[in-house]
Amino acid sequence: MEPLSWGGIIIRMAVQFSPVWIALVVVFGLSITYKRRLGLYGKLFDSVIGMIGFALVMFWVFTGIFAAFDMIIQHDPLSQVSGMKNKLPGTPLPDGSGYYLLGGDNLARDVFSRMVAGSWIVIQIAPLATLFAFMVGITLGLPAGYFGGRLDTVLSFTSNLVLAFPVILLFYLLVTPEIVETGIPSYMAVVLFVFPLIFIAVLLNSRFHTQTAKRNLYVGGALLVGLVLYLSLINEQGSVISFLPAWLDLFDVPGNLLVVFVSVVFVNSPTVFRIVRGLVLDIRTRDYVAAAQTRGEGPWYIMLWEILPNARGPLIVDFCLRIGYTTILLGTLGFFGLGLESESPDWGSTINDGRKLLSIYPHPALPPALALMSLVLGLNLLADGLREESLRD
Amino acid sequence: MGLFILRRIGVMLLTAICLTFIVFFLTNLYPNLEKLAKTQGTQRMSDAEVTSWLAKRGYLQPLPVKYGQWLGVLPGYVNTDDTGAVINGRCIDPRKPDETPRKFCGILQGDWGFSTVFKEDAGVIISRRLALTGKLMFWVMVLMVPSALLLGVLAGMREGSRLDRFLSTVSIATTATPEYVSGVILIAIFASSAFGLKWFKGTATSAMEDANFNNFFLPVLTIALYGMGYIARMTRASMTEVMTAQYIRTARLKGVSFRNIVLKHALRNALIAPFTVIMLQFPWLLNGVVIVETLFNYKGFGWTLVQAAGNNDIELLLAASVVAVFVVLVTQLISDIGYVLLNPRIRIS
């Protein structure tokens, strides 16, 4: 078979991505049709910038999800085909069964399939890690801003401590095999992952504490589900924390993935804490907070049901930005070969693999680099669009 | 004002002590020490041999004692044999046997320890590498600050105009491109044989002795791009706020030309906020420096940090962390004080 021309490569890639195009058209069609009924999400479709950002983000979200079902990937991202080492884009396979659309890397793996498979890793980790960082930041930032005083001093000092740490140094100190051996990341996971649990329990309790029966049902149910998830998350057979019997341990997060997750959450949460604290300091002086205090509402009710909903605008915008930042951090980890396995197809590791031969064969490093850039750019544009639309009314 | 600065310095010192202690704790964990013993001694050491190797070098003392010795506030350990003769000690340099050993030798005395990878004094390595990184940072600042301010002022002077839209999108795009992405793209386009544009060099190793445009521009541009967008956006925000102020309207009603309004009335007030942002960019630049120095193989401070961390070179890593933490804290302090000094509303009250 003849090698493909650039036109042929682009057409074949577009065909390969066809499930993503269909999904995008459906989402955009539905959203634009019903945009007046969809609140802030619907208003996003009034701004061009926001729509472009949303399209970029959803492109990678759908790519990641479909890649998890083996739909867009052409070849196994880990398998090596002899004779395809460093081959240029559009080279056919030796047995004639297909093409390496974006060429082969230095281990003769398909660059295109690795890029697509890498999106699934990012789509899994980045939003979830950001969500956890937000839970930690909100749970600590609300009381720090609302009560102030010594609690605020201590928490602010601690968050400044983490913020003053150069991120890469922190990664090198936390994500090495020797430190993982001591179990410090696992203990950090125990502390950090308990915050979502506290957050949800306090949220429900403060709302329903006057209706005891309902409260017991909701808080009890949430705690039960949360506790089982929490325990199976932190518990891993064979690591420092393994006390659960195997039948109760629902799923195992591979040790190195957990470490990556923990360090990303740890780096992100102080910034969220600072933002939440600043917002609370501002909102605390509003009249509706004074009204709630006069009604005799408890402090946690005021924080979680009066202040937090009114701080949602800036928090949603920051959430989008922070997913982008988390993606960059994950890439940084991969770039330094920390955490994830060296053959993992995530974008940072692939860039790291490709950079060694960059001046001769740039094609293995460019696709993941452009993919990462477009996703982060999409998130930034989305945040910009959301900010503009939420300021409009 | 004096009290404010004193308090800030106090908090800074406390932060520095906490941070260095955390780094010290993490680098001195037992698995790290064991690895150190095995790489310095032999790979096949038994556990007892490892323990005695570590004990002889003072690594098995309690953590606060070790930290105090490293810092230089506690006297260094001394090992003696049965007769009481001194064998070795923290402050005894086997290369200079005639010297009377000092009692204290920590970083406060200027004793930064010995690098096991480079076989040299950590302090010497760090100062040499820092000079190289200083050169890089200087050119980054020369490129980044004026262009970012220009971008921000141009975008902010007419809010909502087409120029504003365009420049804002450009600055969003640069903040969305981390150094390891922009560096890879820039090298691929301007330095690889695949595109045929071999305008610049893909490595900056030769720039360590003799930096010129050809071998130094790409690393400088890579770091500058990432920071530029953020500073430009802050400048734009501050500029748009100033442009809606009453005194700008007054100036416009007096008939002052737009050019003079921007240059003489708005600019000075609009540049207060970006100053803080530029100073607070240093921690981020430090990250950028580590990535870019690794990518371009420029053997400066960031490269040393990666080498020390990757090779378990404990003393060198500690020295590098102290410098990194110190840089971050000092820039924070300067930005706080500078903000107060620059802003007349805070300074006078």
Side-chain angles (χ1 to χ4, degrees):
Chain A
M1 288 197 292
E2 290 290 301
L4 289 173
S5 66
W6 273 107
I9 294 173
I10 291 170
I11 291 172
R12 275 172 187 265
M13 280 202 327
V15 171
Q16 219 39 52
F17 276 118
S18 49
V20 178
W21 305 131
I22 297 170
L24 275 181
V25 168
V26 170
V27 167
F28 269 76
L30 286 177
S31 306
I32 292 175
T33 318
Y34 298 108
K35 68 177 175 185
R36 295 283 158 251
R37 290 191 228 160
L38 290 171
L40 181 62
Y41 169 74
K43 277 196 210 124
L44 191 65
F45 292 88
D46 288 334
S47 107
V48 182
I49 295 272
M51 270 196 329
I52 295 174
F54 186 68
L56 280 172
V57 174
M58 288 321 282
F59 175 81
W60 287 113
V61 170
F62 285 132
T63 305
I65 293 171
F66 288 133
F69 294 107
D70 271 341
M71 277 174 79
I72 301 168
I73 297 174
Q74 283 190 309
H75 308 277
D76 177 28
L78 298 182
S79 67
Q80 309 174 359
V81 178
S82 68
M84 296 304 287
K85 187 175 165 187
N86 289 328
K87 281 285 182 286
L88 293 178
T91 312
L93 285 172
D95 60 358
S97 62
Y99 293 92
Y100 268 12
L101 285 180
L102 291 174
D105 66 3
N106 59 346
L107 289 175
R109 297 168 297 193
D110 183 19
V111 173
F112 176 75
S113 303
R114 283 177 71 75
M115 177 191 75
V116 172
S119 66
W120 175 232
I121 297 181
V122 172
I123 295 302
Q124 272 177 296
I125 302 180
L128 202 61
T130 315
L131 190 69
F132 271 75
F134 262 75
M135 293 284 188
V136 177
I138 289 174
T139 318
L140 293 176
L142 285 175
Y146 187 76
F147 295 121
R150 198 160 294 164
L151 178 77
D152 182 27
T153 317
V154 171
L155 286 176
S156 295
F157 182 74
T158 319
S159 79
N160 285 339
L161 216 59
V162 181
L163 284 175
F165 234 115
V167 178
I168 289 179
L169 182 61
L170 198 71
F171 282 161
Y172 260 112
L173 291 175
L174 281 182
V175 197
T176 53
E178 284 78 34
I179 305 272
V180 175
E181 198 182 308
T182 61
I184 288 180
S186 307
Y187 295 122
M188 283 171 68
V190 170
V191 176
L192 286 177
F193 294 160
V194 85
F195 281 102
L197 212 59
I198 298 177
F199 177 78
I200 290 170
V202 176
L203 185 78
L204 291 174
N205 183 46
S206 60
R207 178 81 194 201
F208 297 111
H209 71 105
T210 44
Q211 303 144 276
T212 322
K214 225 175 181 179
R215 191 266 312 260
N216 290 346
L217 180 69
Y218 286 168
V219 176
L223 273 182
L224 196 70
V225 174
L227 211 61
V228 170
L229 288 177
Y230 170 70
L231 288 177
S232 18
L233 186 63
I234 60 164
N235 188 72
E236 195 197 340
Q237 306 297 338
S239 76
V240 260
I241 299 164
S242 77
F243 53 88
L244 276 188
W247 58 269
L248 201 63
D249 199 359
L250 295 179
F251 49 86
D252 258 347
V253 183
N256 45 7
L257 198 64
L258 189 74
V259 177
V260 169
F261 199 82
V262 168
S263 40
V264 171
V265 172
F266 185 69
V267 169
N268 268 322
S269 35
T271 328
V272 181
F273 166 83
R274 289 238 291 217
I275 295 169
V276 173
R277 178 178 165 273
L279 286 169
V280 173
L281 281 178
D282 174 35
I283 295 177
R284 173 174 83 154
T285 55
R286 302 284 167 84
D287 285 344
Y288 51 80
V289 174
Q293 281 164 341
T294 323
R295 280 206 308 274
E297 303 283 10
W300 284 100
Y301 178 86
I302 297 175
M303 279 183 246
L304 288 165
W305 293 95
E306 301 276 350
I307 294 178
L308 192 59
N310 286 297
R312 70 181 184 280
L315 285 184
I316 291 172
V317 171
D318 189 68
F319 189 71
C320 288
L321 287 175
R322 203 144 291 284
I323 296 177
Y325 183 58
T326 311
T327 311
I328 292 180
L329 284 182
L330 286 175
T332 312
L333 277 171
F335 181 77
F336 285 106
L338 294 167
L340 299 159
E341 293 134 41
S342 60
E343 59 174 14
S344 128
D346 75 288
W347 294 336
S349 308
T350 322
I351 295 174
N352 185 31
D353 268 354
R355 79 183 160 93
K356 283 147 202 159
L357 287 174
L358 199 55
S359 48
I360 314 164
Y361 300 114
H363 65 270
L366 276 181
L370 293 173
L372 194 144
M373 189 178 109
S374 61
L375 174 61
V376 180
L377 180 65
L379 285 161
N380 276 276
L381 292 177
L382 178 63
D384 215 50
L386 282 175
R387 181 186 302 137
E388 227 162 71
E389 292 305 317
S390 66
L391 283 181
R392 193 160 284 179
D393 48 25
Chain B
M1 189 67 205
L3 198 69
F4 166 77
I5 293 177
L6 271 183
R7 248 188 69 189
R8 291 291 325 180
I9 291 177
V11 171
M12 187 190 109
L13 287 179
L14 188 63
T15 317
I17 289 173
C18 289
L19 283 176
T20 49
F21 185 76
I22 294 169
V23 178
F24 194 85
F25 165 70
L26 286 172
T27 47
N28 275 278
L29 284 167
Y30 193 75
N32 280 335
L33 295 178
E34 194 183 336
K35 195 174 159 198
L36 179 76
K38 287 189 170 163
T39 47
Q40 291 303 302
T42 56
Q43 273 303 330
R44 288 190 296 278
M45 274 172 147
S46 67
D47 284 354
E49 281 170 323
V50 169
T51 316
S52 80
W53 192 93
L54 290 174
K56 212 177 136 196
R57 285 157 183 81
Y59 281 117
L60 295 182
Q61 303 169 83
L63 187 70
V65 176
K66 270 196 291 183
Y67 178 69
Q69 290 178 356
W70 171 79
L71 202 62
V73 292
L74 287 180
Y77 67 89
V78 175
N79 286 329
T80 52
D81 59 10
D82 302 333
T83 58
V86 174
I87 309 168
N88 69 339
R90 186 183 161 83
C91 306
I92 301 167
D93 192 339
R95 289 169 298 179
K96 299 174 198 154
D98 308 329
E99 235 172 57
T100 32
R102 289 166 299 163
K103 205 160 167 10
F104 299 93
C105 51
I107 52 165
L108 290 179
Q109 284 80 27
D111 218 323
W112 293 75
F114 190 78
S115 158
T116 53
V117 173
F118 296 101
K119 308 286 176 211
E120 222 182 332
D121 243 14
V124 177
I125 300 176
I126 292 287
S127 59
R128 179 155 22 96
R129 302 298 188 193
L130 262 183
L132 286 172
T133 298
K135 187 162 79 174
L136 182 64
M137 290 294 265
F138 171 74
W139 287 109
V140 168
M141 285 291 162
V142 166
L143 179 68
M144 180 176 77
V145 173
S147 41
L149 293 181
L150 189 69
L151 270 182
V153 169
L154 284 180
M157 66 187 188
R158 283 200 182 92
E159 196 187 358
S161 64
R162 194 168 295 165
L163 185 69
D164 176 27
R165 292 257 163 210
F166 173 70
L167 291 179
S168 297
T169 314
V170 168
S171 41
I172 290 178
T174 68
T175 42
T177 318
E179 292 92 349
Y180 53 89
V181 168
S182 52
V184 161
I185 294 175
L186 288 174
I187 294 180
I189 294 178
F190 293 116
S192 77
S193 46
F195 283 76
L197 284 175
K198 305 197 90 176
W199 292 355
F200 303 105
K201 278 202 175 141
T203 69
T205 317
S206 56
M208 293 194 297
E209 275 91 47
D210 166 41
N212 52 36
F213 189 66
N214 191 15
N215 57 20
F216 213 37
F217 182 65
L218 282 189
V220 169
L221 182 67
T222 308
I223 304 180
L225 270 181
Y226 187 48
M228 198 158 81
Y230 189 64
I231 300 178
R233 292 180 78 177
M234 290 297 141
T235 315
R236 176 187 172 274
S238 148
M239 188 72 187
T240 50
E241 196 188 316
V242 170
M243 287 306 277
T244 55
Q246 295 286 332
Y247 58 87
I248 297 291
R249 192 197 293 175
T250 314
R252 191 172 285 189
L253 291 176
K254 277 195 307 191
V256 182
S257 70
F258 187 71
R259 186 195 145 92
N260 272 339
I261 289 179
V262 171
L263 289 179
K264 293 203 172 133
H265 296 249
L267 208 52
R268 207 179 296 174
N269 289 302
L271 291 186
I272 295 174
F275 170 78
T276 329
V277 177
I278 291 170
M279 292 314 288
L280 289 178
Q281 280 283 304
F282 269 91
W284 301 108
L285 287 179
L286 207 65
N287 276 339
V289 163
V290 177
I291 292 170
V292 165
E293 285 183 358
T294 311
L295 185 62
F296 287 88
N297 205 15
Y298 182 79
K299 293 177 176 130
F301 177 72
W303 184 84
T304 313
L305 188 82
V306 171
Q307 294 299 317
N311 294 312
N312 197 34
D313 190 344
I314 294 179
E315 304 262 283
L316 184 60
L317 182 59
L318 277 169
S321 324
V322 171
V323 174
V325 165
F326 190 72
V327 168
V328 172
L329 291 177
V330 167
T331 48
Q332 277 180 1
L333 184 74
I334 295 176
S335 91
D336 278 6
I337 295 173
Y339 188 71
V340 172
L341 284 180
L342 280 178
N343 197 338
R345 271 168 294 191
I346 301 180
R347 186 179 60 214
I348 290 163
S349 72

